[in-house]
Amino acid sequence: MNLAVGIDIGGTKVAVGVVDASGRILAKTRLNTDFTVTPQVMVGRIAQSVHNLLSENSVFSDKIIGIGIGAPGPLDPQSGTITCPPNLPGWNGFPLVEEMRKLLPYPIRMENDATAATLAEKWIGAAQDSNHFIFLTISTGIGAGIYLHGKLITGATGNAGDAGHFVIDPSAGRCTCGQYGCWEWVASGTAIARQASAIVGSPLSTKEVFDLAQQGNASLQQLIEQAYRYIGIGCVTLINLFDPDMIVIGGGVSQIGQPLFTAVQDYVTHHAFNPSGRGAKIVPAKLLQDAGLIGAAALIHHPY
């Protein structure tokens, strides 16, 4: 049985898993992304997690055909370098693949995390029947993967899909990238928690924000409705630009469920420019929080 290790590196956590050729996760673990240590130390922890996972589940090394890594952009997939990701402070110019190869004796391939998750949703997820779709992840930040005419569109340097840095509302303050009012600055999980914490005067997690809104906090309800509208604006922009028949939404914020999808579908129905675009489906990622992990493994099982 050929197996791949998938590593999904995010701004808050790293997921590691063993995935078979059918996309089934045989074993997985996670660790927190720690910015109090150097990237080299963090890579050491990730590599140790891989070794532990294989040992604990009696997976022999000759069964592993490679390691796929999904990481936040911007990055350079050709050299395996993390270039300047806002959500991985301190990792600028870090040769991730080179450092990982020192610790793990397998072929390694790295791509943008949203690109990897897009491949997963096409492989065994919500977009199996679509040849023209956008995968959107809304979590610590916002990223997109583009799948058109039956293939991934990754751009000249592998960084296509940095939709989180569309400018949505320039009056909303300065994004970590330096622009004002980027999409992820106003509508990511991080953005929702930041804005809500300012409203109530104490730190809140994204989940706590939605819980309090559901309990009747009018100010937070208004904030959530604004976030839905911002997500709708971004989706309309993607639809107008790429003409997909579907947008698949994953990431932590997608776990809100039907209220989010109803609000965004309604916005798209009323505001997409092309009548056909108004019919684009807005659907939840089938693979939920595992999309990035399975997508990273798909870089090995189904290289494009």
Coordinates of all heavy atoms in Angstrom, one line a residue, residues 183-225:
W183 N -9.5 41.8 2.5 CA -10.6 40.9 2.8 C -10.3 40.1 4.1 O -11.2 40.0 4.9 CB -10.7 39.9 1.6 CG -12.0 39.1 1.6 CD1 -13.1 39.3 2.4 CD2 -12.3 38.0 0.7 NE1 -14.1 38.4 2.0 CE2 -13.6 37.6 1.0 CE3 -11.6 37.4 -0.3 CZ2 -14.3 36.6 0.3 CZ3 -12.3 36.3 -1.0 CH2 -13.6 35.9 -0.7
E184 N -9.1 39.6 4.2 CA -8.9 38.8 5.5 C -8.7 39.7 6.7 O -9.0 39.3 7.8 CB -7.6 37.9 5.3 CG -6.3 38.5 5.3 CD -5.2 37.5 5.4 OE1 -5.3 36.5 4.6 OE2 -4.2 37.7 6.1
W185 N -8.5 41.0 6.5 CA -8.4 41.9 7.6 C -9.8 42.2 8.1 O -9.9 42.6 9.3 CB -7.7 43.2 7.1 CG -7.6 44.3 8.2 CD1 -8.3 45.4 8.4 CD2 -6.7 44.2 9.4 NE1 -7.9 46.1 9.5 CE2 -6.9 45.4 10.1 CE3 -5.8 43.3 9.8 CZ2 -6.2 45.7 11.3 CZ3 -5.1 43.6 11.0 CH2 -5.3 44.7 11.7
V186 N -10.8 42.1 7.3 CA -12.2 42.4 7.7 C -13.1 41.2 7.9 O -14.1 41.3 8.6 CB -12.9 43.4 6.8 CG1 -12.1 44.7 6.7 CG2 -13.0 42.8 5.4
A187 N -12.7 40.0 7.4 CA -13.7 38.9 7.4 C -13.1 37.6 7.8 O -13.9 36.6 7.8 CB -14.4 38.8 6.0
S188 N -11.8 37.4 8.1 CA -11.3 36.2 8.5 C -11.7 35.9 9.9 O -12.2 36.7 10.6 CB -9.7 36.2 8.4 OG -9.2 37.1 9.4
G189 N -11.4 34.7 10.4 CA -11.7 34.3 11.8 C -10.9 35.3 12.7 O -11.5 35.7 13.7
T190 N -9.7 35.5 12.4 CA -8.9 36.4 13.2 C -9.5 37.8 13.2 O -9.5 38.5 14.3 CB -7.4 36.5 12.6 OG1 -6.9 35.2 12.5 CG2 -6.5 37.4 13.5
A191 N -10.0 38.3 12.1 CA -10.6 39.6 12.0 C -11.8 39.7 12.8 O -12.1 40.7 13.6 CB -10.9 40.0 10.6
I192 N -12.7 38.7 12.8 CA -13.9 38.7 13.5 C -13.6 38.7 15.0 O -14.2 39.5 15.8 CB -14.8 37.5 13.2 CG1 -15.3 37.6 11.7 CG2 -15.9 37.3 14.1 CD1 -15.8 36.3 11.2
A193 N -12.6 37.9 15.5 CA -12.3 37.9 16.9 C -11.7 39.3 17.3 O -12.0 39.8 18.4 CB -11.3 36.8 17.2
R194 N -10.8 39.8 16.5 CA -10.2 41.1 16.8 C -11.3 42.2 17.0 O -11.2 43.0 17.9 CB -9.2 41.5 15.7 CG -8.4 42.8 16.0 CD -7.6 43.3 14.8 NE -8.5 43.9 13.8 CZ -8.7 43.3 12.6 NH1 -8.1 42.2 12.2 NH2 -9.6 43.9 11.7
Q195 N -12.1 42.3 16.0 CA -13.2 43.4 16.0 C -14.1 43.2 17.2 O -14.5 44.2 17.8 CB -13.9 43.4 14.7 CG -13.1 43.8 13.5 CD -13.7 43.5 12.2 OE1 -14.5 44.4 11.7 NE2 -13.5 42.3 11.6
A196 N -14.5 41.9 17.4 CA -15.4 41.7 18.5 C -14.8 42.0 19.9 O -15.5 42.5 20.8 CB -15.9 40.2 18.5
S197 N -13.5 41.7 20.0 CA -12.8 41.9 21.3 C -12.8 43.4 21.6 O -12.9 43.9 22.7 CB -11.4 41.4 21.2 OG -11.4 40.0 21.1
A198 N -12.6 44.2 20.5 CA -12.6 45.7 20.7 C -14.0 46.2 21.1 O -14.1 47.1 21.9 CB -12.2 46.3 19.4
I199 N -15.1 45.5 20.6 CA -16.4 45.9 20.9 C -16.8 45.7 22.4 O -17.3 46.5 23.1 CB -17.4 45.2 20.0 CG1 -17.3 45.8 18.6 CG2 -18.9 45.4 20.5 CD1 -18.1 45.0 17.5
V200 N -16.4 44.5 22.9 CA -16.8 44.1 24.2 C -15.7 44.5 25.3 O -16.0 44.5 26.5 CB -17.0 42.6 24.3 CG1 -18.1 42.2 23.3 CG2 -15.8 41.8 24.1
G201 N -14.5 44.8 24.8 CA -13.5 45.3 25.7 C -12.7 44.2 26.4 O -12.0 44.5 27.4
S202 N -12.8 43.0 25.9 CA -12.0 41.9 26.5 C -11.8 40.9 25.3 O -12.5 40.8 24.4 CB -12.7 41.2 27.6 OG -14.0 40.7 27.2
P203 N -10.7 40.0 25.5 CA -10.3 39.1 24.4 C -11.4 38.0 24.2 O -11.9 37.5 25.2 CB -9.0 38.5 24.9 CG -8.5 39.4 25.9 CD -9.7 40.0 26.6
L204 N -11.7 37.8 22.9 CA -12.7 36.8 22.6 C -12.1 35.9 21.5 O -11.4 36.4 20.6 CB -14.0 37.4 22.1 CG -14.9 38.1 23.0 CD1 -16.1 38.8 22.3 CD2 -15.4 37.2 24.1
S205 N -12.4 34.6 21.5 CA -12.1 33.7 20.3 C -13.2 33.9 19.3 O -14.3 34.4 19.6 CB -12.0 32.3 20.8 OG -13.3 31.8 21.2
T206 N -12.9 33.4 18.1 CA -13.9 33.5 17.0 C -15.2 32.7 17.5 O -16.3 33.2 17.3 CB -13.4 32.9 15.7 OG1 -12.2 33.6 15.4 CG2 -14.4 33.2 14.6
K207 N -15.0 31.5 18.0 CA -16.2 30.7 18.5 C -17.0 31.5 19.5 O -18.2 31.5 19.5 CB -15.7 29.4 19.0 CG -16.9 28.5 19.4 CD -16.4 27.2 20.0 CE -17.5 26.2 20.3 NZ -18.5 26.8 21.2
E208 N -16.3 32.1 20.5 CA -17.0 32.9 21.5 C -17.8 34.0 20.9 O -18.9 34.3 21.4 CB -16.0 33.4 22.5 CG -15.4 32.3 23.4 CD -14.3 32.8 24.3 OE1 -13.6 33.8 23.9 OE2 -14.0 32.2 25.3
V209 N -17.3 34.6 19.8 CA -18.0 35.7 19.2 C -19.4 35.2 18.6 O -20.4 35.8 18.9 CB -17.2 36.3 18.0 CG1 -18.0 37.4 17.3 CG2 -15.9 36.9 18.6
F210 N -19.3 34.1 17.9 CA -20.5 33.5 17.4 C -21.5 33.0 18.4 O -22.7 33.2 18.3 CB -20.2 32.4 16.4 CG -19.7 33.0 15.0 CD1 -18.3 33.0 14.8 CD2 -20.6 33.5 14.1 CE1 -17.9 33.5 13.6 CE2 -20.1 34.0 12.9 CZ -18.7 34.0 12.6
D211 N -20.9 32.5 19.5 CA -21.8 32.0 20.6 C -22.5 33.2 21.2 O -23.8 33.1 21.5 CB -21.0 31.3 21.7 CG -20.5 29.9 21.2 OD1 -21.0 29.4 20.2 OD2 -19.6 29.4 21.8
L212 N -21.8 34.3 21.5 CA -22.4 35.5 22.1 C -23.5 36.1 21.2 O -24.5 36.6 21.6 CB -21.4 36.5 22.5 CG -20.5 36.1 23.7 CD1 -19.3 37.1 23.8 CD2 -21.3 36.0 25.0
A213 N -23.2 36.1 19.9 CA -24.1 36.7 18.9 C -25.4 35.8 18.9 O -26.5 36.4 18.9 CB -23.5 36.7 17.5
Q214 N -25.3 34.5 19.0 CA -26.4 33.7 19.0 C -27.2 33.8 20.3 O -28.5 33.6 20.3 CB -26.0 32.2 18.9 CG -25.5 31.8 17.5 CD -25.1 30.4 17.4 OE1 -24.8 29.7 18.4 NE2 -24.9 29.9 16.1
Q215 N -26.5 34.2 21.4 CA -27.2 34.5 22.6 C -27.9 35.8 22.7 O -28.6 36.1 23.7 CB -26.2 34.3 23.8 CG -25.7 32.9 24.0 CD -24.5 32.9 24.8 OE1 -24.2 33.8 25.6 NE2 -23.7 31.7 24.8
G216 N -27.8 36.6 21.6 CA -28.5 37.9 21.6 C -27.8 39.2 21.7 O -28.4 40.2 21.8
N217 N -26.4 39.1 21.7 CA -25.6 40.3 21.8 C -25.8 41.1 20.4 O -25.3 40.7 19.4 CB -24.2 40.0 22.0 CG -23.3 41.2 22.2 OD1 -23.3 42.1 21.4 ND2 -22.6 41.3 23.3
A218 N -26.5 42.2 20.5 CA -26.9 42.9 19.3 C -25.7 43.5 18.5 O -25.6 43.4 17.3 CB -27.8 44.1 19.6
S219 N -24.7 44.0 19.2 CA -23.5 44.5 18.6 C -22.7 43.4 17.8 O -22.2 43.7 16.7 CB -22.6 45.2 19.6 OG -23.2 46.3 20.2
L220 N -22.6 42.3 18.5 CA -21.9 41.2 17.8 C -22.7 40.6 16.7 O -22.2 40.1 15.6 CB -21.5 40.1 18.8 CG -20.5 40.6 19.9 CD1 -20.1 39.4 20.8 CD2 -19.3 41.3 19.3
Q221 N -24.0 40.6 16.8 CA -24.9 40.2 15.7 C -24.6 41.1 14.4 O -24.5 40.6 13.3 CB -26.3 40.2 16.1 CG -26.8 39.1 17.0 CD -28.2 39.2 17.5 OE1 -28.8 40.3 17.4 NE2 -28.7 38.2 18.1
Q222 N -24.5 42.3 14.7 CA -24.3 43.3 13.6 C -22.9 43.1 13.0 O -22.8 43.1 11.8 CB -24.4 44.7 14.1 CG -24.3 45.8 13.1 CD -24.5 47.2 13.6 OE1 -24.5 47.4 14.8 NE2 -24.6 48.2 12.8
L223 N -21.9 42.8 13.8 CA -20.6 42.5 13.3 C -20.6 41.2 12.5 O -20.0 41.2 11.4 CB -19.6 42.3 14.5 CG -18.2 41.8 14.2 CD1 -17.5 42.8 13.3 CD2 -17.4 41.4 15.4
I224 N -21.3 40.2 12.9 CA -21.4 38.9 12.1 C -22.1 39.2 10.8 O -21.6 38.7 9.7 CB -22.1 37.8 12.9 CG1 -21.3 37.5 14.2 CG2 -22.3 36.6 12.0 CD1 -19.9 37.0 14.0
E225 N -23.1 39.9 10.8 CA -23.8 40.2 9.5 C -22.9 41.0 8.6 O -22.9 40.8 7.4 CB -25.1 41.0 9.8 CG -26.2 40.2 10.5 CD -27.4 41.1 11.0 OE1 -27.3 42.3 10.7 OE2 -28.3 40.5 11.6

